[in-house]
């Protein structure tokens, strides 16, 4: 006779073994980036969601699921799809966004700029006649024509004691400051001023002992037409003629005539002019001061009164042309012969743009819409429709766009999902080098407006390419 089998024991072992196998498969799947999708019954490749905020320490809900850990937060093994991300921090306005998770990839919501529910206001100066910014520094003059620089604390008076007497006299007698720019790595300024009804371009080092006044033609240039090549040399485009100015010798040289646009990008000068066949062409020059022209690149360039190079890579060029008040974005790509001859009109009727060199994408306003164009994917995305409010993109700092409409000035997230109004459109807003703070000129008073407390963060920052 055969032995009796203990069927309950065998069944128990079988069930235990099956459970072990299932658990092992699930653990192994999670370890290798796979997960069972209970809706479809299939095991799918998952993705990762990484979230950092400024300030850090915010609570996160992903499609309603709350996580106990605060930002910076990395969530692994998320099934592919679109998720609603809600970020909350006490004292700050709620931040909403959408994250698209792709299998095998990490989706980053990086260094999200949170905005205080009640931004902190600090009055800095009264009796302000006019104010302006130069390379993220703010300057103003009062009714007595005294000059000040706005620092993090109290304003600092500028007396110009070291510069030549005639230049100091012109700055202190100026009836208006039309525009000003500052070299980013030195203390040199270029200032367009009006003195006794006449315009001058003053190039000066207020901390040093040198400076000069220039009349025509440089005094006729707008701010967009003057470019610091380095701390001691600048380029000006005036009435179709490109000039170079060496500040060491104050030598002004006519570089090229019949120029329709100039850009200084990635330590190279690009200017556009008419080629032999009458079409626009671009010339690139690594040294604008050696007395010779650079390399002419005769392409199928778009037409326009002013053509500016915003960015270029080995595969594409991004250009902006303007005719009157109308501005157009163009993309140039290669043809079969490897020549940049294919024109793609990205958008027209622009009202401000901000290019991100790191991520190779651009945000711009066209019509009433905020739009993003991704050059890596060659994809355009409408982010937000502001309706009939005449939106204008004023600036980008970190991951915040500052947009002016008919009634308000707002801090807007890069996704367009979050709009935080903080000033009236009648105010003059001047920008810091980050999104944490702005300055507001209202009723002849300058106020510092802190949109976010000064705290350290964890995670990368997005920087704007030039």
């Amino acid at each position: 006779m055969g032995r009796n089998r203990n069927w309950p024991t065998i069944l128990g072992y079988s069930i235990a073994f099956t459970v072990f196998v299932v658990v092992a498969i699930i653990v192994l799947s999670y370890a290798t980036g796979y997960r069972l999708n209970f809706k479809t019954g299939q095991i799918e490749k998952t993705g990762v969601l990484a979230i950092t905020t400024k300030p850090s320490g915010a609570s996160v809900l992903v499609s309603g699921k709350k996580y106990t850990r605060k930002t910076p937060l990395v969530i692994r093994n998320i099934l592919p799809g679109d998720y609603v991300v809600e970020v909350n921090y006490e004292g700050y306005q709620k931040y909403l966004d959408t994250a698209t998770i792709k299998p095998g990839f990490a989706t980053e919501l990086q260094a999200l700029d949170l905005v205080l529910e009640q931004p902190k206001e600090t009055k800095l100066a009264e009796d302000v006649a006019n104010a302006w910014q130069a390379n993220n520094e703010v300057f103003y003059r009062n009714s007595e024509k005294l000059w000040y620089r706005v620092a993090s604390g109290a304003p600092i008076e500028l007396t110009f004691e070291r510069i030549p007497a005639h230049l100091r006299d012109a700055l202190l007698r100026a009836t208006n400051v039309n525009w000003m720019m500052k070299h980013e790595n030195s203390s040199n300024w270029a200032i367009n001023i009006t003195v006794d009804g006449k315009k001058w371009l003053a190039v000066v080092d207020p901390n040093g002992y040198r400076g000069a006044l220039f009349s025509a033609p440089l005094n006729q240039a707008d701010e967009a037409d003057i470019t610091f090549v380095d701390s001691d040399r600048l380029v000006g485009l005036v009435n179709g003629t490109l000039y170079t100015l060496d500040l060491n010798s104050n030598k002004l040289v006519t570089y090229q005539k019949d120029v329709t646009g100039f850009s200084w990008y990635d330590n190279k000068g690009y200017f556009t002019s008419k080629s032999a066949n009458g079409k626009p062409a671009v010339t690139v020059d690594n040294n604008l001061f050696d007395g010779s022209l650079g390399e002419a690149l005769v392409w199928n360039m778009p037409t326009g009164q002013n053509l500016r190079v915003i960015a270029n890579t080995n595969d594409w060029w991004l250009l902006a042309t303007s005719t009157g008040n109308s501005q157009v974005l163009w993309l140039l790509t290669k043809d079969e012969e490897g020549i940049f001859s294919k024109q793609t009109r990205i958008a027209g009727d622009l009202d401000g743009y901000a290019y991100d060199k790191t991520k190779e994408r651009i945000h711009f306003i066209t019509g009433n819409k905020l739009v993003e164009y991704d050059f890596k994917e060659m994809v355009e995305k409408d982010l937000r429709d502001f309706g009939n409010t005449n939106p204008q993109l004023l600036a980008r700092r970190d991951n915040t766009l500052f947009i002016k409409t008919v009634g308000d000035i707002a801090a807007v997230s890069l996704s367009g999902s979050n709009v935080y109004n903080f000033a009236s459109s009648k105010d003059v807003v001047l920008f810091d080098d980050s999104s944490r703070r702005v300055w507001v000129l209202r009723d002849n008073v300058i106020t510092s407006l802190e949109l976010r407390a000064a705290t350290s963060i964890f995670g990368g920052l997005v920087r704007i390419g030039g």
Side-chain angles (χ1 to χ4, degrees):
M1 295 181 60
R3 292 186 298 173
N4 294 328
R5 296 184 178 181
N6 191 340
W7 291 109
T9 301
I10 295 174
L11 180 61
Y13 279 124
S14 299
I15 294 174
F17 179 76
T18 302
V19 171
F20 171 78
V21 171
V22 171
V23 172
I25 292 174
I26 293 175
V27 171
L28 183 61
S29 297
Y30 266 77
T32 56
Y34 287 85
R35 176 180 167 187
L36 176 63
N37 188 334
F38 290 99
K39 292 182 179 180
T40 63
Q42 297 179 345
I43 295 179
E44 298 182 17
K45 182 74 171 176
T46 62
V48 175
L49 175 60
I51 305 172
T52 59
T53 60
K54 295 183 296 182
S56 58
S59 301
V60 175
L61 287 85
V62 179
S63 291
K65 180 181 178 180
K66 187 173 182 178
Y67 289 83
T68 55
R69 286 187 57 192
K70 311 292 187 181
T71 58
L73 177 64
V74 177
I75 307 171
R76 305 182 187 279
N77 296 110
I78 302 180
L79 290 170
D82 293 332
Y83 294 83
V84 176
V85 178
E86 179 181 324
V87 179
N88 294 285
Y89 195 105
E90 185 177 357
Y92 286 79
Q93 301 197 49
K94 180 189 299 183
Y95 188 102
L96 293 173
D97 213 333
T98 300
T100 300
I101 304 301
K102 298 180 180 180
F105 289 90
T107 299
E108 295 181 345
L109 298 182
Q110 189 181 51
L112 304 179
D113 292 332
L114 306 183
V115 175
L116 286 165
E117 290 180 351
Q118 296 294 330
K120 181 182 177 181
E121 295 190 17
T122 305
K123 185 184 294 185
L124 295 181
E126 299 180 351
D127 190 28
V128 176
N130 64 322
W132 62 95
Q133 73 181 75
N135 282 32
N136 302 324
E137 290 191 58
V138 174
F139 301 84
Y140 73 91
R141 293 193 314 151
N142 62 15
S143 60
E144 298 178 358
K145 300 181 181 179
L146 298 178
W147 292 61
Y148 293 86
R149 178 173 67 87
V150 176
S152 56
I156 300 172
E157 183 178 354
L158 304 174
T159 57
F160 308 115
E161 293 179 355
R162 296 180 177 180
I163 65 176
H166 74 287
L167 182 55
R168 179 173 65 251
D169 179 67
L171 292 174
L172 296 178
R173 288 195 306 111
T175 54
N176 193 38
V177 178
N178 305 305
W179 57 262
M180 170 180 164
M181 67 170 54
K182 180 179 178 294
H183 184 257
E184 58 183 3
N185 297 321
S186 75
S187 56
N188 284 342
W189 298 359
I191 321 168
N192 189 282
I193 57 176
T194 300
V195 183
D196 300 329
K198 183 178 179 180
K199 281 187 176 183
W200 296 88
L201 178 67
V203 182
V204 57
D205 177 0
N207 300 321
Y209 295 90
R210 68 177 185 177
L213 286 172
F214 297 91
S215 56
L218 292 183
N219 65 343
Q220 301 301 313
D222 293 328
E223 181 179 2
D225 298 324
I226 296 292
T227 304
F228 271 108
V229 171
D230 54 38
S231 60
D232 295 317
R233 299 181 296 179
L234 57 81
V235 176
L237 177 59
V238 186
N239 297 326
T241 299
L242 195 64
Y243 299 91
T244 61
L245 174 62
D246 190 327
L247 301 178
N248 291 310
S249 61
N250 287 336
K251 184 178 180 181
L252 184 67
V253 175
T254 300
Y255 177 88
Q256 178 75 1
K257 294 183 178 181
D258 298 324
V259 174
T260 59
F262 175 79
S263 305
W264 181 254
Y265 177 78
D266 201 19
N267 294 318
K268 297 177 183 178
Y270 298 89
F271 70 90
T272 52
S273 57
K274 297 290 185 180
S275 62
N277 59 9
K279 295 183 178 181
V282 64
T283 297
V284 56
D285 196 343
N286 296 328
N287 188 346
L288 297 162
F289 293 82
D290 62 359
S292 61
L293 294 179
E295 177 187 2
L297 307 173
V298 182
W299 295 337
N300 182 27
M301 303 292 287
T303 58
Q305 293 178 354
N306 193 340
L307 194 152
R308 185 173 294 271
V309 178
I310 299 174
N312 61 44
T313 70
N314 292 329
D315 300 314
W316 52 264
W317 285 51
L318 176 62
L319 311 172
T321 63
S322 59
T323 303
N325 294 325
S326 178
Q327 195 170 38
V328 180
L329 278 181
W330 298 89
L331 180 66
L332 260 61
T333 52
K334 294 179 179 178
D335 58 18
E336 293 76 9
E337 298 179 358
I339 300 174
F340 291 94
S341 64
K342 294 183 178 180
Q343 293 183 15
T344 302
R345 185 179 186 273
I346 295 179
D349 297 325
L350 295 184
D351 211 336
Y353 61 83
Y355 177 67
D356 183 345
K357 184 177 180 179
T358 302
K359 294 188 177 296
E360 294 186 5
R361 61 183 178 182
I362 189 170
H363 286 83
F364 56 88
I365 295 287
T366 177
N368 294 313
K369 293 182 179 180
L370 172 64
V371 181
E372 176 191 270
Y373 193 95
D374 188 329
F375 294 95
K376 292 182 179 179
E377 303 291 337
M378 294 298 180
V379 173
E380 180 178 304
K381 182 189 299 183
D382 290 346
L383 301 179
R384 191 178 190 91
D385 192 333
F386 285 88
N388 191 26
T389 61
N390 298 323
Q392 178 186 0
L393 178 54
L394 300 178
R396 175 181 170 180
R397 295 294 185 272
D398 297 334
N399 285 334
T400 295
L401 302 170
F402 291 94
I403 294 179
K404 179 179 180 179
T405 61
V406 169
D408 300 290
I409 299 176
V412 181
S413 63
L414 293 183
S415 65
S417 302
N418 304 274
V419 178
Y420 310 113
N421 296 325
F422 64 86
S424 167
S425 58
K426 297 179 181 179
D427 300 330
V428 176
V429 176
L430 306 165
F431 300 99
D432 199 356
D433 61 353
S434 75
S435 60
R436 187 180 72 83
R437 175 181 58 192
V438 297
W439 289 276
V440 177
L441 174 59
R442 178 188 301 138
D443 299 327
N444 303 111
V445 176
I446 289 183
T447 300
S448 170
L449 199 65
E450 290 190 22
L451 303 177
R452 185 179 69 252
T455 59
S456 61
I457 69 164
F458 181 91
L461 291 178
V462 173
R463 305 299 296 176
I464 296 297

